[in-house]
Amino acid sequence: MPTQTFFNLPEAKQQIIIEKSLEQFANHSYEAVSISRIVQEARIAKGSFYQYFEGKEDLYLYLVDIGIARQKSFIENADLPPIENGFFPYLRSLLKTGLDFQISHPHFTQILFRLPNYGDIPFRDEVFHRTKAVSIAFIKEKIEYAIALGQLPKYLNPDMVAFMIVTLGNELRQFIPRHLGIKVEKLVKEDTPLDVNAINQTLDDFVSTLEKGIGKD
């Protein structure tokens, strides 16, 4: 977490440091990113950097927190169907909105997903913990509301169901590239075309499996 000294900076200066840091982490491995390069790009003294952050890990985790907040805001402002119309249509739309966020925010996609999953982040468990905890809390609230509305059965354990949905949803990030033959890099580059329809169909299949279950009729 940044120090108060960082938050005392003008907002425009904070934003420059954030943007330059994002660019570096999004375009290089964690090991290859250097504080020297970041401060050069942001035009601040290296000594000043350490008045703002403890080090590279502290900076990265701050970017993770910003990315989580941006994604939450993106979802809250999306035109999702009301849960009153059905929990599973809502979940389907929610997952597709998450995909929209990743496509439209490639740098945060790198920070939140690609580097922790495929890169050399030495503290990946902490990144997963932060992203997963927020997602589980969000989904749990929706599940409890759906149960209260009668959209889901009362015998469900909201904590367990939220954990299952988020965990399986996270694993889709591993499954989709293999299933569709997509190179990981293509998921995060702005100028790389994606077969969004194929990805959305995979999300549809995932939600349908949750809705119908895997037992016999």
Side-chain angles (χ1 to χ4, degrees):
M1 187 68 178
T3 65
Q4 188 58 47
T5 304
F6 175 79
F7 291 115
N8 288 339
L9 290 173
E11 187 173 342
K13 190 63 177 179
Q14 293 181 40
Q15 210 46 48
I16 289 173
I17 295 171
I18 290 168
E19 289 173 2
K20 297 304 180 182
S21 300
L22 272 173
E23 289 175 7
Q24 289 300 307
F25 284 118
N27 291 295
H28 305 281
S29 69
Y30 180 82
E31 184 64 30
V33 171
S34 74
I35 299 303
S36 296
R37 181 67 175 177
I38 290 174
V39 299
Q40 179 183 354
E41 292 289 329
R43 297 186 177 181
I44 61 173
K46 194 168 186 178
S48 297
F49 174 86
Y50 289 103
Q51 292 179 4
Y52 307 148
F53 300 94
E54 292 180 4
K56 189 160 69 169
E57 178 177 339
D58 191 33
L59 171 61
Y60 190 97
L61 290 175
Y62 178 54
L63 296 177
V64 168
D65 290 340
I66 293 174
I68 291 170
R70 293 278 179 90
Q71 185 178 40
K72 184 174 183 291
S73 176
F74 187 88
I75 290 171
E76 288 174 345
N77 288 291
D79 187 23
L80 298 177
I83 293 181
E84 289 83 354
N85 291 351
F87 175 76
F88 291 103
Y90 171 83
L91 180 61
R92 184 175 285 107
S93 183
L94 177 65
L95 292 175
K96 292 180 179 180
T97 299
L99 174 62
D100 290 341
F101 174 83
Q102 292 182 44
I103 292 172
S104 60
H105 296 75
H107 285 174
F108 280 120
T109 297
Q110 288 272 30
I111 298 297
L112 294 173
F113 308 119
R114 180 179 179 270
L115 286 174
N117 280 288
Y118 304 103
D120 58 347
I121 299 293
F123 47 90
R124 68 183 71 245
D125 287 346
E126 176 60 24
V127 178
F128 291 147
H129 171 74
R130 294 188 184 204
T131 56
K132 196 170 185 177
V134 172
S135 297
I136 288 175
F138 180 85
I139 290 292
K140 178 186 174 184
E141 178 183 326
K142 305 306 178 185
I143 291 169
E144 289 174 335
Y145 185 52
I147 291 173
L149 290 173
Q151 294 285 350
L152 293 173
K154 292 183 177 180
Y155 63 77
L156 291 179
N157 181 326
D159 289 294
M160 179 183 293
V161 177
F163 176 83
M164 290 172 60
I165 290 175
V166 172
T167 301
L168 291 172
N170 286 340
E171 289 302 312
L172 279 177
R173 296 192 183 96
Q174 304 282 344
F175 173 78
I176 287 175
R178 293 196 303 268
H179 180 60
L180 299 180
I182 301 172
K183 291 184 178 180
V184 174
E185 292 78 9
K186 290 187 176 182
L187 295 176
V188 292
K189 290 185 178 178
E190 297 175 80
D191 58 350
T192 302
L194 289 174
D195 189 346
V196 176
N197 289 333
I199 296 174
N200 281 332
Q201 183 58 57
T202 303
L203 296 177
D204 283 337
D205 293 343
F206 170 68
V207 175
S208 294
T209 301
L210 288 175
E211 182 176 12
K212 298 175 182 177
I214 59 175
K216 293 183 178 180
D217 292 335

